[in-house]
Each structure stands twice: as C-alpha cells, then as structure tokens.
Amino acid sequence: MSDWPTLPPSARFLVISGPSGAGKSTVIARACALEPSLVRCLSCTTRAPRGTERDGVDYLFLDQGEFDRRAAAGGFLEHAVVFGKASYGTPRAFVEDQLAAGCSVIKDVDVQGAAQIRATFPRAVHIFLVPPSATEVADRLRGRGTDAPEVVARRLAEAEREVARWRDYDYLLINDDVERTAQDLLAVLRASALRIPS
Ligand code: ADP
Ligand code: 5GP
C-alpha cells in the first residue's frame, strides 16, 4: 500500500467567540490548566494598562507607531479599532511559533475578528460559546462586578449582535458548567486533530 493514511501535526489554532459574560476567559483558563500543550494567545493593544493589568500577562501593550508598523508588515491575523479608540490585534508570530513548537493556541476574538481569521488563517477551528440562556448573560455580567451599569448595558446590546452570528462557527459550546465545558473544548481540540484535511 503506497498511500498509507497519515494526519498532519496535531497542534491547532482555536478561535473562540461569544457574548461578553459567556465565560470565555474562565473556560479558556480551565482548559489550559487541564491541557499543558494548549496555550492562550494574548491580544496586542494600544490602550494603556488598567488597574493591576500587566504587559505579557493581560495584554501585550504597544504604542500606536509600533502597532501600525506590525499591522503594515502583516504581523496580525486580525486587527481592529474598538469603540473608536484603541487598536487591538492577534499577533501572527505567536500563533505560528507555538504551532510550530507543537502547542495548540486558543484566542478569544469577537465575531468580526473571527471573520478576518477565516481569511488569514483558514485552518483555524472556530468555536462559539454561550451561556444556557439570554438572561444568564446579564446575570453573569452583573455578577462579575467588573463593569459599571452603562458598560453592562452596552455589552448586552453587543451580545445580541454577536450571538446572531453563531451559525458561522464550527462548534457550539453551551457553558452551563465550567468543568464540563472545558472538557468539551478539549474534546473539540482532540477531534480537530483527527480530521482528515481536505
Ligand atoms: P467572558 O470572558 O466571556 O466575558 P468571563 O469568563 O469573564 O466571561 O465570565 C463572566 C462571569 O461568569 C464570571 O464572573 C465567571 O466567573 C462567570 N462564569 C463563567 N462560567 C460560568 C458558569 N458555567 N456558570 C456560572 N458562572 C460562570
Ligand atoms: P478592553 O480594552 O476592555 O480589555 O477590551 C475591549 C474590547 O477589545 C473587547 O470587547 C474585545 O472584544 C476587544 N479585543 C480584545 N482583544 C482583541 C483582539 O485581539 N482583536 C480584536 N479585534 N478585538 C479585541
């Protein structure tokens, strides 16, 4: 038999979207703790650090000149100006270097960023995460206690726009329980590694 079946290397780029408050950060952190070969990709941003945020832990903080140079050089898999203020982007080199080293990468991006990544990185696996119900989004955002009421209201309006795009994704995770959802995320990763490339 000359054409014995083989699969490409198993490291994958997972893109996860879902409304603010769905539990993306929580589930990503748990999945990465369970699976050491899965690493989170930080965003680059031009906004200033807030509160206890640290460079390399919460974000990669860049000045606008450096961000623009990297963008022009194709250094981002996607990037956008958010709320008309700061620029944010997904660093291409981090994703490519981790995959080359055999680690899978997970990145939380909004639906527009995920749409850009479909063009710039077609092999990415796209996952949509939602809480069990619409009312749960509001409860979790208020319960998290990190946002002022007007910010919560804005996030809820955005949530409706984001959720409308769920059918564009490859997998749906309903986050009713963090542990089970993190396990489901890892199941998606394992199944993706077994897919026969087209
Ligand atoms: P996102 O990153 O999607 O905005 P977070 O991970 O910050 O969401 O989660 C929002 C809030 O919901 C946090 O207070 C978190 O502890 C809580 N949360 C996350 N997953 C669950 C869950 N399965 N059940 C209950 N609360 C959850
Ligand atoms: P904050 O400044 O409050 O941390 O984030 C503001 C917004 O920036 C978030 O709602 C998030 O959607 C967006 N954001 C964070 N990282 C990225 C990124 O890498 N790419 C894009 N396109 N948006 C991002």
Side-chain angles (χ1 to χ4, degrees):
M1 276 180 274
S2 58
D3 180 25
W4 192 254
T6 57
L7 290 168
S10 61
R12 293 289 177 273
F13 180 32
L14 306 180
V15 171
I16 185 162
S17 302
S20 185
K24 297 180 294 297
S25 299
T26 309
V27 169
I28 290 171
R30 184 66 189 135
C32 291
L34 290 167
E35 177 51 71
S37 72
L38 177 64
V39 293
R40 182 175 202 165
C41 176
L42 297 179
S43 302
C44 296
T45 182
T46 59
R47 79 155 165 78
R50 286 194 295 244
T52 59
E53 285 181 340
R54 281 184 296 148
D55 187 44
V57 176
D58 302 286
Y59 276 102
L60 301 165
F61 295 100
L62 303 178
D63 64 41
Q64 192 71 53
E66 178 62 17
F67 191 99
D68 292 345
R69 269 190 295 282
R70 291 195 196 185
F76 297 117
L77 290 172
E78 60 77 38
H79 61 98
V81 176
V82 177
F83 307 137
K85 285 192 234 152
S87 300
Y88 295 80
T90 299
R92 179 189 292 274
F94 179 85
V95 175
E96 292 181 346
D97 291 351
Q98 292 294 328
L99 293 175
C103 286
S104 291
V105 180
I106 186 159
K107 177 75 167 55
D108 159 2
V109 279
D110 69 357
V111 294
Q112 310 205 23
Q116 287 184 54
I117 292 172
R118 283 190 193 92
T120 57
F121 200 98
R123 288 176 291 122
V125 177
H126 291 259
I127 299 167
F128 202 79
L129 181 81
V130 283
S133 67
T135 49
E136 188 75 17
V137 178
D139 291 349
R140 284 189 197 171
L141 278 179
R142 291 188 189 108
R144 188 166 64 177
T146 52
D147 298 319
E150 61 274 18
V151 177
V152 170
R154 191 184 67 208
R155 289 194 192 277
L156 287 175
E158 278 164 29
E160 189 158 348
R161 179 180 57 79
E162 293 253 318
V163 170
R165 301 282 295 277
W166 70 275
R167 288 186 178 81
D168 296 344
Y169 287 71
D170 302 317
Y171 293 93
L172 177 66
L173 298 181
I174 296 180
N175 178 23
D176 46 7
D177 175 84
V178 173
E179 195 62 31
R180 201 188 49 77
T181 308
Q183 292 289 353
D184 285 351
L185 180 62
L186 296 176
V188 166
L189 177 60
R190 290 189 199 106
S192 302
L194 302 177
R195 264 187 82 87
I196 298 171
S198 48

